Amino acid sequence: MAGSGKTTFMQRINAHLHGKKEPPYVINLDPAVTHSPFQSNIDIRDSVNYKKVMEEYNLGPNGGIMTSLNLFTTKVDQVLGLLEKRAAPDPANPARKPIKHILVDTPGQIEVFVWSASGSILLDSLASSFPTVIAYIVDTPRTSSTSTFMSNMLYACSILYKTKLPMIVVFNKTDAKDATFAKEWMTDYEAFQEALNNDESSNAFGGQEGEGAGSGYMGSLLNSMSLMLEEFYSHLSVVSVSAMQGTGIDDFFEAVKEKAEEFKRDYQPELDRRRAEREETKKKQREKELDKMMKGMSMGGQDSTKMAGDIEEEDDNMEPLSPDEDSDDEIDDELDREGLQARYEAATQQQADSTTADASFAKYLHSQRQ
């Protein structure tokens, strides 16, 4: 959420990896940021002018960000091409190490990125080529009340089930407030109930004076949601960090490593299954189009003969063909058709193996979720 320290956290993990001599590949997807404390390898601001988009389309801040992302998404195949090139060894330059980490800084507006088509396509494109992990940053001092804590957890829950990717909840700013209470609320239902009762007793929700613990709409709602989210908490990794001081960053990367393995174990099979379904659908479509084209060529044989006859008439000195020569032409025509079919299949196979096919696979995944 806004003000949780996402940019500072990005700067910290970027510096941490540089300190370990493992420089990451950084992507900035926030077109509205005016100053970035870290250098990006790919920056949306180099491709899209956020202010001009707002002026040209008469949009507000959120609409401008969404439209800028939509424009940038049209280049997703180029982005994937660059990432895959840098993640693979370079035969021309063996001394250059392949990148191990790709850091993506998303726009601060959650709803603009997560719930937009462009955001889903970008995430699905990355997940189709690399183990992808979502880090949800929480402002720990502002989560000390049960209501704001539950609001953050609902946001995280919506992102997890929308993206269908492994998630790490990062409680930031632990230099200002320890996150032990939040971890306890996520693992101990009784502890959250006690905190909820204290908030109701102190009239933290703005209820009427004299109401007892557990009464009121807000208390009832938070109580129900805490029960519902127990299953959600079990699928999360939770770490405490201070982006300002740098504490807890090693724990974060340990969690990233675990989630990357979880991605390969639990998420990759589903992606492979969908990829196989898509390839099978494309194969059947190609065969159908090829069959239709070949039938069209057979039906158009007479027209082709007439057209060849017209061309022959342009040369007055051309002699008529002998029966043997005519038979040879029929054989050549059949060979030409076989050659055309082989070239067509080769071209379609090359197209399926291109980077653009990976981007279209991401769009296919997105369409399956709708």
Side-chain angles (χ1 to χ4, degrees), residues 177-190:
K177 185 174 180 62
D178 192 353
T180 303
F181 74 94
K183 294 182 178 179
E184 186 180 14
W185 288 355
M186 297 177 69
T187 56
D188 189 346
Y189 174 75
E190 298 298 332

Side-chain angles (χ1 to χ4, degrees), residues 31 49 59 92-93 108 139 146 151 197 216 233 244 280 284 330 347:
N49 190 313
L59 299 172
N93 187 11
D139 187 341
T146 54
S151 296
N197 292 338
Y233 295 150
M244 186 64 65
E280 183 64 24
K284 291 180 179 179
E330 290 180 359

Side-chain angles (χ1 to χ4, degrees), residues 59-76:
L59 299 172
N62 284 356
I65 293 175
M66 185 176 297
T67 304
S68 298
L69 279 172
N70 292 339
L71 295 171
F72 185 77
T73 303
T74 62
K75 303 178 182 295
V76 67

Side-chain angles (χ1 to χ4, degrees), residues 109-217:
Q109 292 80 351
I110 296 175
E111 65 280 359
V112 169
F113 182 77
V114 176
W115 295 99
S116 67
S118 56
S120 297
I121 290 173
L122 287 167
L123 283 177
D124 290 339
S125 299
L126 290 171
S128 68
S129 300
F130 307 98
T132 305
V133 180
I134 302 292
Y136 180 74
I137 316 301
V138 179
D139 187 341
T140 306
R142 293 167 57 189
T143 316
S144 56
S145 72
T146 54
S147 59
T148 54
F149 170 81
M150 190 58 63
S151 296
N152 266 284
M153 292 302 102
L154 288 176
Y155 258 123
C157 181
S158 67
I159 294 172
L160 175 67
Y161 290 108
K162 179 64 170 65
T163 61
K164 294 182 175 64
L165 292 171
M167 174 181 284
I168 302 172
V169 174
V170 180
F171 285 99
N172 192 20
K173 303 183 182 181
T174 54
D175 54 308
K177 185 174 180 62
D178 192 353
T180 303
F181 74 94
K183 294 182 178 179
E184 186 180 14
W185 288 355
M186 297 177 69
T187 56
D188 189 346
Y189 174 75
E190 298 298 332
F192 181 79
Q193 285 297 306
E194 182 180 354
L196 178 59
N197 292 338
N198 291 335
D199 283 348
E200 287 186 307
S201 300
S202 62
N203 201 30
F205 305 141
Q208 296 180 358
E209 294 291 339
E211 288 185 341
S215 63
Y217 173 76

